[in-house]
Amino acid sequence: MRERNWAPASIDLSVQIYTWLLAAYPERFRAEYGPHMAQVFRDVCQRESRRGGLPGMAALWARTSLDLIRTSVEEHIDRGIDMNRENFVRWSGWALMAGAVLFAAGLILGSFDTNYSDPIGGLDAFYEISQIVGIVLGQILFVIGLLGLRAGYGTRSGSVGGALLLIAVIGGVVSLGGMLIMNSSELGWTAWALGLLTMTLALTGYGGVAIRRRVFSRWNFAPLLAGAVIPVLFGVSAAIDSSGGSMEDWTFAVGVSATAVGLILLGYRMQAEAATTSQALA
Amino acid sequence: MAEGVKGPERFLPLTPAVFHILLALADGEKHGYAIMQEVEDMTEGRVQMGPGTLYGSIKRMLAAGLIEESDDRPDPALDDERRRYYRLAALGRKVLRQETERMAGLMALARRKHVWSGVG
């Protein structure tokens, strides 16, 4: 076999990054199992590096990232051995519904903010704080909801559907990260907008898959409704801005409300179908 | 997990990760990476557990008494003292048996209903 000089360095770097990422787990879990998880990850890195080279390592990182996001959420929720897939999907359905309400409320109340560039406080403090709390909490709940959607429906959605859900999760995480650094970096706005656009476009694509494959027992249009409106709003707003005009406030409120309705319908289906599955298996 | 059910039945049906870990430990104790490899080999690569899934499941299985840590070192020459070894507990073996019986029952039902006729 050809000598791969990059291999030991890339393995060490991968393990170092993975060890940092273990911070996502609760402290007690990390203290108990963190070193063993890092050791196992090192073993798998060595194997994948030997077998698949750089593409193998990239595929390993893709799998491991998803595993890390999903299981760190599970460990924080810490539901015990009965936290099976159905329960996770059911709770993430509720998370999606709550996230939709918070996100829409945050955006709509935030649109009443009279001055976007002033520091938080003053007469419009209520609108400013509602916007920040609503959007941040809403996006955290979206990520949990999308993870549940992928856990519960990824297999029956096929490889394209599963990949689109993964892209939606990544978009949600990027958008949330952008929101969190918005105050300290200009990059935050770009990450927030691009992440949100990626998440909603991927959800729109997934909506097409859901309709074609009849993934849900009903309301297969819900992911399309949840995903399509925000990219359309982005596009229309950009077009109006470039022609020197500005979008009517009611257009924005109607668009965000339609997105929220789509997400609520999707979350409701997830929790209802997971509850039915749990009862059938019990 | 069905409420009000006692004994091994209360764990059924098992999640895929818990079932595969129990199955991997059925023929002897193993450390984390060996369990992961065994699961991949048994399923011809169809089930690939990440470290989070593996150790999250191990944590819950230890708490439920399905598996236990082992101080024995099967092969001192190949052993790494930093690794933890796990083995099936008596309850875990019973749960595994009941789960495979449940699955066998489902298979028999599917066969009686000719689920596979005309497939493939």
Side-chain angles (χ1 to χ4, degrees):
Chain A
M1 188 181 289
R2 195 175 52 180
E3 183 75 22
R4 292 190 175 106
N5 292 329
W6 51 265
S10 73
I11 291 168
D12 286 344
L13 181 64
S14 289
V15 175
Q16 187 59 60
I17 293 171
Y18 184 71
T19 307
W20 288 332
L21 291 175
L22 288 175
Y25 289 95
E27 196 178 342
R28 274 181 68 180
F29 181 82
R30 197 168 65 238
E32 181 75 18
Y33 297 104
H36 302 286
M37 291 166 75
Q39 178 62 52
V40 163
F41 184 67
R42 177 179 288 281
D43 292 335
V44 181
C45 278
Q46 284 167 344
R47 187 190 66 188
E48 291 302 318
S49 165
R50 270 197 314 273
R51 277 186 191 171
L54 216 49
M57 290 289 283
L60 170 66
W61 261 112
R63 285 200 309 271
T64 306
S65 305
L66 195 64
D67 176 71
L68 191 136
I69 294 170
R70 187 176 61 79
T71 57
S72 60
V73 171
E74 279 182 5
E75 287 308 323
H76 279 287
I77 296 170
D78 197 19
R79 296 278 298 159
I81 198 157
D82 61 342
M83 180 63 188
N84 58 23
R85 188 178 297 252
E86 282 72 31
N87 278 339
F88 179 55
V89 174
R90 188 149 56 96
W91 282 105
S92 54
W94 284 108
L96 208 53
M97 286 191 275
V101 172
L102 285 169
F103 187 75
L107 278 180
I108 291 171
L109 286 173
S111 68
F112 291 106
D113 185 3
T114 49
N115 185 350
Y116 291 109
S117 55
D118 67 335
I120 295 170
L123 289 173
D124 51 7
F126 170 73
Y127 299 121
E128 290 165 345
I129 292 169
S130 301
Q131 183 179 34
I132 293 168
V133 172
I135 295 176
V136 170
L137 283 181
Q139 291 207 198
I140 291 172
L141 293 170
F142 283 167
V143 172
I144 295 171
L146 290 170
L147 282 169
L149 185 59
R150 194 171 191 281
Y153 297 88
T155 309
R156 76 175 88 158
S157 302
S159 55
V160 174
L164 285 168
L165 287 177
L166 179 59
I167 293 169
V169 170
I170 293 168
V173 172
V174 169
S175 180
L176 181 61
M179 186 79 204
L180 296 176
I181 61 165
M182 215 172 254
N183 264 349
S184 56
S185 167
E186 279 291 312
L187 204 67
W189 280 102
T190 312
W192 178 72
L194 278 180
L196 188 62
L197 202 55
T198 305
M199 183 182 90
T200 47
L201 279 173
L203 204 52
T204 306
Y206 178 73
V209 173
I211 290 168
R212 192 167 53 82
R213 297 179 70 110
R214 295 179 183 276
V215 172
F216 305 96
S217 58
R218 62 175 76 164
W219 304 347
N220 280 292
F221 64 88
L224 190 64
L225 178 61
V229 182
I230 283 183
V232 170
L233 279 180
F234 266 92
V236 171
S237 171
I240 293 175
D241 280 354
S242 66
S243 62
S246 66
M247 206 162 70
E248 296 283 344
D249 284 348
W250 65 266
T251 323
F252 178 75
V254 168
V256 170
S257 302
T259 302
V261 169
L263 288 166
I264 289 169
L265 291 178
L266 181 59
Y268 183 80
R269 276 269 46 88
M270 285 165 65
Q271 66 82 27
E273 290 182 10
T276 310
T277 311
S278 288
Q279 282 164 10
L281 289 172
Chain B
M1 199 187 303
E3 279 180 30
V5 180
K6 304 282 182 195
E9 294 87 357
R10 72 184 185 277
F11 294 105
L12 307 187
L14 297 175
T15 62
V18 170
F19 176 71
H20 283 108
I21 292 170
L22 288 177
L23 204 55
L25 294 174
D27 53 2
E29 56 199 49
K30 290 180 179 68
H31 55 68
Y33 180 58
I35 294 172
M36 198 185 256
Q37 270 194 312
E38 173 83 12
V39 171
E40 283 192 33
D41 291 347
M42 282 188 306
T43 61
E44 294 172 342
R46 284 192 297 275
V47 178
Q48 293 184 320
M49 278 189 285
T53 302
L54 176 69
Y55 280 98
S57 303
I58 284 176
K59 184 193 90 170
R60 289 184 265 278
M61 292 165 79
L62 284 167
L66 298 179
I67 60 172
E68 52 199 18
E69 278 187 37
S70 166
D71 294 328
D72 299 337
R73 290 291 180 264
D75 185 349
L78 299 172
D79 182 40
D80 179 343
E81 282 188 0
R82 289 168 301 178
R83 293 185 194 271
R84 274 189 203 160
Y85 285 73
Y86 302 96
R87 66 180 168 217
L88 276 190
L91 177 62
R93 196 168 289 281
K94 279 183 198 160
V95 169
L96 180 60
R97 192 179 307 130
Q98 297 235 345
E99 178 69 335
T100 47
E101 281 170 8
R102 189 186 69 84
M103 288 175 165
L106 287 174
M107 292 285 286
L109 180 63
R111 226 174 255 124
R112 280 203 300 279
K113 288 189 172 281
H114 307 290
V115 171
W116 288 294
S117 58
V119 177

